Amino acid sequence: MSKHRFNRHTPSAIDKTNKVSLRNDTSNLATPKQRLSRLNRLAGSLWLVPLLSGLVVFVVAEMSLRCFPHTQSLMEAVNYYVATDDFILGRLADYPGANNLFVSWLLQFFADPAVGTFLESLLLALIAVFASLVVPSWFGAFDKEGRGGVAKGLFMSLNRSRRFPSFLFATVIPLALLVGFIHRIGLSIEAIFVFASLCVIGFTRAKCRWPWSWLVVVLTGFLAFWIVSFPVLLLLMLLIVLLQALTMLQKGLEKRFKAVMIVETALPLLIVALTVLGVKLSSDHLGFIPFGERWWHIDFADGREHIYLLMLGLPVSAMLFLPRLRNVRAFLLLSFFVVLVVGCVCYSEISGNEQYRLSEDVYRRTALAEESRWAELLDDVKQKGTITNNIDLQFALLAEARLGTLPETLFSYPINSPELFCPRFDGKPFATDFCRIFYRELGVCDEAFHQAFEYGMKISPSSGMCLSSLRHMVEYSVMSGDKAAARKYLALLKETSCHDDFVSLWNRKINELQVTPCTADRSNNFIKAFHFNSEMAHLLDFDKDNRAVLDYLLCGLLLTKQLELFKTVLSDYAAVYHDSPLPKAYAEAAAMIERLRPGIWGGRISYDPKYDTDFARFTIIQKEGGDTSAFVGTFWYYYVNAEIPPLRDWQQIGHDTTS
């Protein structure tokens, strides 16, 4: 025994334990006071560990989220928050209420992508900071007298005689959330609450007597009912029981501690039981959601609750049961290196994610269309090269129509039905929002209003509207001259935190009548009740000067190969093209009609004679069975080769809205 004790105090053993370079034999025989001073200095420097882990997460998240600015802005657009009693009580009744309410409030500030990116990155960084402090707060905060010290705890938990809280694992948690649950603010808040609660309880046990720590556990359970979903609360209570048991084992199971351990184990389980009762009551009387759906349901987890729980629980378990480490400095350097590598992998995974990029493309183009930047929109679509999906096709055709070039370029696009101009029968939210822009550009203000209202219903069924739908309904109400409706929706926007300038602007427009009421009237025309061509014909009857509707009608008739109707409409509106050249698609169709029925136009329609020559050449090649690929992009080639769906199938045409 004496030999063993002597070996523990030899210079070589001290060197192995603390990894301190020994300059001479005298320095190896440091007094206990000197050794404690060195420990305190090292402990103080280790305060940077949780801060650096949070900084790494913040930088990675900031760089990753900056790749998708329009997606960040959309989070505000589809959110709904008003500071009214009905809304606040409704959010609180939707378990977990405080979390839902705070998320709704916070998302208001995401309209500016820079602010939204900063806030989301900050939440993820806080997860890393609190997760780094969990194990030190429970196991490293005790000295011989039972008193705690956080800085000392950070060192002791990294010391050879204690298990260390690897901030590597603390950093993995938010980075995993960033990759697996990007833009899920509610999940980040739940994770922050879990790790912050564990830290507070651990520090309280170190600083205060038992009843105070029990009170903190009870308060945590009360707050958890409002902030986290039931599966997360169950995980939190199980972690508390585990940590309490391990700390009791560390102190030794004396008789006076056995009763305390029983109470501390029973208290979290009692909180779980009370929460089950509370959830059942809230399901029956508040949220009207069946209890079975709430038992294993986490908002924003998208059915991946087990993955989210593993992301929170496994790293904590790893931090508790890792083997002892001797070289603290080498461990820190290695951990920082691994964290940086993991961060780079996360950034690469997010920035290169094809689905995220497709969604960002859609949201960017929607923003360009919203601001009527048609030339930029068309360039943005065409820079990808070949159009391979209906979303890009619809944006390109809408931009061509607003630039007045649709009849010139129509048959250069992969389209075989006028229903592809607008996804009228697609029930997805994106399609509804596209229809809103489409009818706005046609001047049909009341239908644009209806699409905005429907978009809010689809995006936020519980509220029936979102912030973007409110803004649009104000705009279209003013355009159609409905001041009462505009003021009603402005009153709601006034209750938000970020719409003071918007409310002032539109109140001024209403009072000064700066917006001319929309002249389009569709009181006798039910949108989506007819096929596209019939709908455009009805709209044209009510607004005969609407050139956009006329172009859509004529192009739709060409796409359906209805030459007789095309001839009739073009003859009726011949005056529109009296002082300008007939657009390419119309001229090609006119030349074809003229060849089939010479003199049919009677001088009412004029076009470049080269179209007659080109069509004659196309006809000869076609009859001889030659190669007509040189005529791809013309109406003639489309008329001969394109297959169009029957009229009865138009409403079933698929619209590729994968975003």
Side-chain angles (χ1 to χ4, degrees):
M1 179 65 69
S2 61
K3 182 179 180 180
H4 175 68
R5 289 181 178 177
F6 176 79
N7 287 338
R8 289 180 57 193
H9 294 86
T10 58
S12 59
I14 296 175
D15 182 67
K16 290 181 180 179
T17 302
N18 298 306
K19 294 297 181 181
V20 179
S21 299
L22 305 179
R23 297 186 178 181
N24 50 59
D25 294 339
T26 305
S27 61
N28 294 336
L29 302 176
T31 64
K33 185 175 181 180
Q34 291 173 331
R35 289 198 296 269
L36 180 60
S37 177
R38 287 200 299 269
L39 292 179
N40 288 334
R41 287 197 299 271
L42 181 57
S45 64
L46 290 175
W47 262 110
L48 296 175
V49 170
L51 297 180
L52 289 176
S53 63
L55 180 61
V56 170
V57 171
F58 182 86
V59 171
V60 173
E62 182 79 13
M63 293 175 59
S64 302
L65 296 174
R66 280 184 179 274
C67 298
F68 311 105
H70 293 90
T71 306
Q72 291 290 131
S73 297
L74 184 74
M75 295 172 66
E76 183 272 344
V78 301
N79 178 53
Y80 181 68
Y81 174 87
V82 288
T84 62
D85 293 341
D86 290 341
F87 176 80
I88 293 174
L89 292 176
R91 275 289 186 266
L92 291 176
D94 188 12
Y95 175 75
N99 191 341
N100 292 326
L101 182 61
F102 180 73
V103 170
S104 298
W105 176 81
L106 188 65
L107 287 177
Q108 296 178 100
F109 306 97
F110 279 56
D112 185 342
V115 176
T117 299
F118 173 81
L119 292 176
E120 188 170 354
S121 302
L122 180 62
L123 292 177
L124 293 170
L126 288 176
I127 296 174
V129 171
F130 286 121
S132 299
L133 291 171
V134 170
V135 176
S137 65
W138 283 82
F139 296 98
F142 298 99
D143 57 18
K144 293 181 179 180
E145 288 75 26
R147 293 191 297 265
V150 179
K152 181 180 178 182
L154 280 169
F155 171 73
M156 293 301 293
S157 55
L158 285 167
N159 193 20
R160 180 172 180 268
S161 62
R162 302 294 179 103
R163 302 188 185 278
F164 58 82
S166 170
F167 78 94
L168 166 64
F169 290 96
T171 307
V172 166
I173 299 172
L175 292 180
L177 290 177
L178 179 64
V179 175
F181 298 95
I182 189 172
H183 302 316
R184 302 299 193 272
I185 304 301
L187 297 183
S188 297
I189 293 173
E190 292 198 23
I192 290 173
F193 179 82
V194 168
F195 296 119
S197 299
L198 293 176
C199 292
V200 171
I201 295 172
F203 289 141
T204 303
R205 287 169 56 85
K207 292 287 187 181
C208 306
R209 295 183 179 274
W210 303 112
W212 289 104
S213 63
W214 298 344
L215 180 62
V216 173
V217 173
V218 173
L219 180 61
T220 299
F222 174 78
L223 294 176
F225 179 81
W226 299 97
I227 298 177
V228 301
S229 52
F230 180 76
V232 178
L233 179 138
L234 183 62
L235 174 65
L236 173 61
M237 293 301 148
L238 291 177
L239 289 175
I240 291 175
V241 171
L242 175 62
L243 291 168
Q244 288 175 339
L246 292 176
T247 54
M248 295 299 296
L249 291 173
Q250 184 187 46
K251 285 191 170 186
L253 287 176
E254 301 178 10
K255 289 185 177 180
R256 63 189 183 95
F257 285 148
K258 289 182 179 179
V260 172
M261 185 174 182
I262 294 175
V263 174
E264 289 191 338
T265 303
L267 194 57
L269 299 180
L270 177 62
I271 292 174
V272 171
L274 293 176
T275 304
V276 171
L277 179 62
V279 171
K280 181 171 177 54
L281 291 176
S282 66
S283 297
D284 293 340
H285 303 290
L286 296 177
F288 304 104
I289 298 177
F291 177 69
E293 295 182 11
R294 286 195 169 174
W295 167 250
W296 195 250
H297 172 73
I298 302 177
D299 283 344
F300 314 110
D302 301 331
R304 296 177 293 164
E305 287 81 1
H306 59 290
I307 296 177
Y308 177 68
L309 294 176
L310 288 175
M311 287 181 179
L312 300 186
L314 284 182
V316 175
S317 301
M319 288 188 285
L320 288 174
F321 298 105
L322 279 174
R324 292 175 294 185
L325 190 73
R326 296 182 178 181
N327 193 322
V328 176
R329 293 181 178 86
F331 162 69
L332 291 177
L333 292 176
L334 178 62
S335 296
F336 271 118
F337 175 75
V338 174
V339 167
L340 290 176
V341 171
V342 172
C344 292
V345 172
C346 290
Y347 172 76
S348 177
E349 175 67 22
I350 293 174
S351 61
N353 188 289
E354 186 65 21
Q355 186 61 46
Y356 294 162
R357 289 202 168 276
L358 286 175
S359 299
E360 178 68 13
D361 290 343
V362 172
Y363 302 146
R364 182 178 63 256
R365 289 162 190 166
T366 302
L368 292 174
E370 188 67 49
E371 299 171 6
S372 300
R373 295 158 60 182
W374 304 115
E376 294 180 47
L377 173 59
L378 190 59
D379 291 341
D380 189 73
V381 174
K382 288 186 174 181
Q383 72 178 1
K384 291 180 62 177
T386 305
I387 293 177
T388 57
N389 61 76
N390 288 340
I391 296 178
D392 290 345
L393 175 64
Q394 289 155 3
F395 276 121
L397 293 173
L398 179 60
E400 295 277 14
R402 299 315 299 152
L403 293 171
T405 57
L406 181 61
E408 297 287 345
T409 61
L410 175 63
F411 294 105
S412 64
Y413 290 97
I415 181 173
N416 67 339
S417 168
E419 293 297 335
L420 291 174
F421 283 129
C422 178
R424 301 186 304 149
F425 302 109
D426 191 331
K428 297 183 178 66
F430 159 76
T432 302
D433 198 43
F434 186 94
C435 290
R436 174 189 62 79
I437 299 175
F438 180 83
Y439 287 108
R440 180 197 71 183
E441 294 304 316
L442 292 184
V444 189
C445 303
D446 46 359
E447 183 57 28
F449 178 95
H450 172 253
Q451 296 296 326
F453 179 82
E454 189 174 341
Y455 179 76
M457 291 290 293
K458 292 177 179 179
I459 285 293
S460 180
S462 60
S463 301
M465 59 187 71
C466 59
L467 294 178
S468 65
S469 66
L470 275 178
R471 292 191 289 264
H472 293 142
M473 287 190 289
V474 169
E475 177 185 355
Y476 304 142
S477 296
V478 174
M479 292 175 66
S480 59
D482 191 346
K483 296 182 180 180
R487 289 195 173 99
K488 178 178 71 173
Y489 296 118
L490 281 176
L492 288 175
L493 288 172
K494 190 176 181 180
E495 298 298 328
T496 65
S497 304
C498 306
H499 284 86
D500 292 342
D501 293 339
F502 181 89
V503 172
S504 299
L505 173 64
W506 283 95
N507 272 326
R508 187 167 62 253
K509 287 187 176 183
I510 293 174
N511 295 331
E512 298 177 0
L513 298 176
Q514 293 183 355
V515 179
T516 303
C518 182
T519 57
D521 180 11
R522 68 162 187 86
S523 58
N524 295 320
N525 178 40
F526 295 97
I527 299 296
K528 300 183 183 180
F530 308 97
H531 299 303
F532 186 87
N533 290 347
S534 299
E535 182 176 296
M536 293 300 107
H538 282 291
L539 290 175
L540 193 60
D541 285 341
F542 291 113
D543 188 9
K544 297 185 181 300
D545 296 328
N546 196 323
R547 177 67 179 271
V549 173
L550 175 61
D551 279 339
Y552 275 122
L553 176 58
L554 291 173
C555 290
L557 293 172
L558 293 181
L559 289 172
T560 53
K561 305 180 183 180
Q562 295 176 288
L563 289 180
E564 188 63 33
L565 289 176
F566 173 82
K567 177 190 71 68
T568 301
V569 175
L570 186 60
S571 298
D572 291 343
Y573 288 86
V576 175
Y577 306 100
H578 184 269
D579 298 326
S580 59
L582 200 62
K584 178 177 178 292
Y586 302 165
E588 291 170 348
M592 185 175 182
I593 295 172
E594 178 67 26
R595 184 175 179 84
L596 296 175
R597 300 170 64 180
I600 189 68
W601 297 114
R604 290 169 298 172
I605 295 296
S606 60
Y607 54 86
D608 193 330
K610 78 180 184 67
Y611 289 107
D612 290 325
T613 305
D614 291 343
F615 180 64
R617 185 161 57 90
F618 172 81
T619 304
I620 294 172
I621 298 175
Q622 179 71 22
K623 287 182 178 179
E624 295 176 351
D627 183 12
T628 58
S629 60
F631 294 90
V632 172
T634 65
F635 171 68
W636 312 316
Y637 187 91
Y638 174 87
Y639 188 86
V640 173
N641 296 282
E643 295 182 4
I644 62 174
L647 291 177
R648 65 178 180 274
D649 296 335
W650 282 6
Q651 293 188 14
Q652 281 72 47
I653 291 179
H655 296 279
D656 182 16
T657 53
T658 57
S659 301

